């Protein structure tokens, strides 16, 4: 890529960075309010490994549900709450577990806790076998796996069974299959309900009634207590996961009213 150097005085509007071979414009860097540099991807995702992240928050109204739209600091997997058998990479968005067995050392947990609001995220899993994926909470932060008690929730991808929550005795009924697939998660923290989906389709709660987070229909119930919930996954063997909390375009559109896990979407604190 072209090397840019020099001193800029005044307001910098934009810089276009070009590929020296094709001359195609791949990035646009914009200075906002004299502080923030927001970079927009111009080329195909296969050629550019770029995720949006910024210490300066944008306007939450710009989060339309497509992903990768607003500036702010995004959720990743947490290196300070990460199992010793899990390796994080690619900005702490990819996990690789090596240990065979149910062990908290195979668990990965997100950096953002959700107490209120409506949130959506995705996770591409390279195999369906033996994965509990969902959320843990402040009611069970040291539980072995998400769904291990009523204060957390998960789905096992090998057989489609739901675990945890309150009164969730039904199950999706089938596994996710053996090929790579993308899990979808929608969490309504205000009404304490959770939905799981796969490859663009929301799953049923009992093999019949299809979940719909946009309308609030057929959700899995969580405790009504005032817990904070974190995205979490535990795997049984060598399974790689790639998470997206909104720092890049979604594989599938977020449900209406659901936001990316980004600081720009958080409520202003009572005390600044």
């Amino acid at each position: 890529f072209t090397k840019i150097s020099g001193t800029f005085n005044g307001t910098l509007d934009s810089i276009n960075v070009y590929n020296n071979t094709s001359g195609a414009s791949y990035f646009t860097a914009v200075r906002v309010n004299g502080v923030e540099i927001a970079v927009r991807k111009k080329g195909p995702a296969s050629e550019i490994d770029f995720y949006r992240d910024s210490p300066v928050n944008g306007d939450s109204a710009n989060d339309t549900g497509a992903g990768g739209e607003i500036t702010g600091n995004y959720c990743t997997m947490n290196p300070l709450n990460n199992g010793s058998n899990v390796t994080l990479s690619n900005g702490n968005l990819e996990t690789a577990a090596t240990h065979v067995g149910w062990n908290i050392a195979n668990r990965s947990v997100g950096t953002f806790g959700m107490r209120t609001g409506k949130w959506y995220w995705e996770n591409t899993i390279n195999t369906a076998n033996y994965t509990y994926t969902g959320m843990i909470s402040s009611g069970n932060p040291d539980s072995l796996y998400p769904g291990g008690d009523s204060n957390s929730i998960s789905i096992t991808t090998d057989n489609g069974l739901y675990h945890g929550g309150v009164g969730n005795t039904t199950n999706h009924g089938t596994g996710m299959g053996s090929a790579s697939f993308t899990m979808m998660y929608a969490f309504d923290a205000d009404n304490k309900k959770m939905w799981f989906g796969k490859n663009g389709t929301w799953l049923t709660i009992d093999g019949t009634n299809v979940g719909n987070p946009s309308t609030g229909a057929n959700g899995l119930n969580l405790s009504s207590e005032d817990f904070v919930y974190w995205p979490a996954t535990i795997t049984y063997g060598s399974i790689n996961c790639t998470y997206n909390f909104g720092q890049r375009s979604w594989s599938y559109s977020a449900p209406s009213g659901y936001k990316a896990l980004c600081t720009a979407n958080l409520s202003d604190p009572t005390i600044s």
Side-chain angles (χ1 to χ4, degrees):
F1 291 93
T2 303
K3 179 180 179 181
I4 298 176
S5 63
T7 301
F8 295 91
N9 295 314
T11 300
L12 175 62
D13 293 322
S14 66
I15 299 174
N16 289 327
V17 182
Y18 296 91
N19 180 292
N20 289 333
T21 302
S22 65
S25 177
Y26 280 110
F27 296 103
T28 299
V30 183
R31 188 168 185 172
V32 179
N33 297 327
V35 177
E36 174 192 358
I37 299 294
V39 183
R40 292 195 297 268
K41 182 173 65 178
K42 292 285 189 175
S46 61
E47 297 183 24
I48 301 173
D49 185 11
F50 170 77
Y51 297 150
R52 180 181 288 276
D53 200 86
S54 170
V56 179
N57 291 328
D59 186 350
S60 61
N62 293 330
D63 186 353
T64 68
E69 295 176 296
I70 58 173
T71 55
N73 187 224
Y74 284 84
C75 179
T76 66
M77 303 313 286
N78 191 349
L80 300 180
N81 190 6
N82 192 59
S84 58
N85 290 328
V86 179
T87 299
L88 299 180
S89 62
N90 199 10
N92 294 334
L93 290 173
E94 292 188 14
T95 67
T98 57
H99 179 73
V100 176
W102 291 122
N103 192 312
I104 201 167
N106 277 31
R107 193 183 72 178
S108 53
V109 180
T111 55
F112 273 40
M114 300 165 282
R115 172 172 272 157
T116 60
K118 295 181 179 181
W119 308 100
Y120 174 79
W121 66 98
E122 296 176 345
N123 175 17
T124 298
I125 303 174
N126 73 347
T127 179
N129 292 328
Y130 307 117
T131 301
Y132 284 78
T133 184
M135 300 185 301
I136 61 171
S137 79
S138 54
N140 69 337
D142 298 320
S143 176
L144 176 60
Y145 58 89
D149 62 17
S150 61
N151 298 330
S152 63
I153 194 166
S154 70
I155 186 172
T156 46
T157 54
D158 63 314
N159 57 20
L161 294 177
Y162 297 119
H163 301 269
V166 178
N168 299 318
T169 59
T170 58
N171 65 82
H172 173 55
T174 60
M176 303 295 107
S178 59
S180 176
F181 58 92
T182 298
M183 288 294 302
M184 306 147 62
Y185 311 79
F187 176 41
D188 181 348
D190 296 325
N191 294 297
K192 304 297 187 291
K193 289 186 177 293
M194 182 75 176
W195 292 262
F196 295 94
K198 174 198 172 185
N199 289 350
T201 300
W202 293 106
L203 304 180
T204 67
I205 61 170
D206 53 8
T208 302
N209 295 301
V210 179
N212 188 341
S214 294
T215 65
N218 300 321
L220 297 162
N221 296 310
L222 292 156
S223 172
S224 60
E225 295 187 58
D226 189 24
F227 292 137
V228 178
Y229 289 87
W230 292 270
T233 297
I234 190 169
T235 62
Y236 184 81
S238 300
I239 296 177
N240 293 14
C241 297
T242 302
Y243 295 86
N244 180 15
F245 297 101
Q247 49 264 89
R248 58 186 171 86
S249 298
W250 300 120
S251 295
Y252 306 97
S253 296
S256 177
Y258 285 73
K259 298 291 187 179
L261 282 166
C262 175
T263 52
N265 288 329
L266 298 180
S267 301
D268 291 334
T270 302
I271 301 175
S272 299

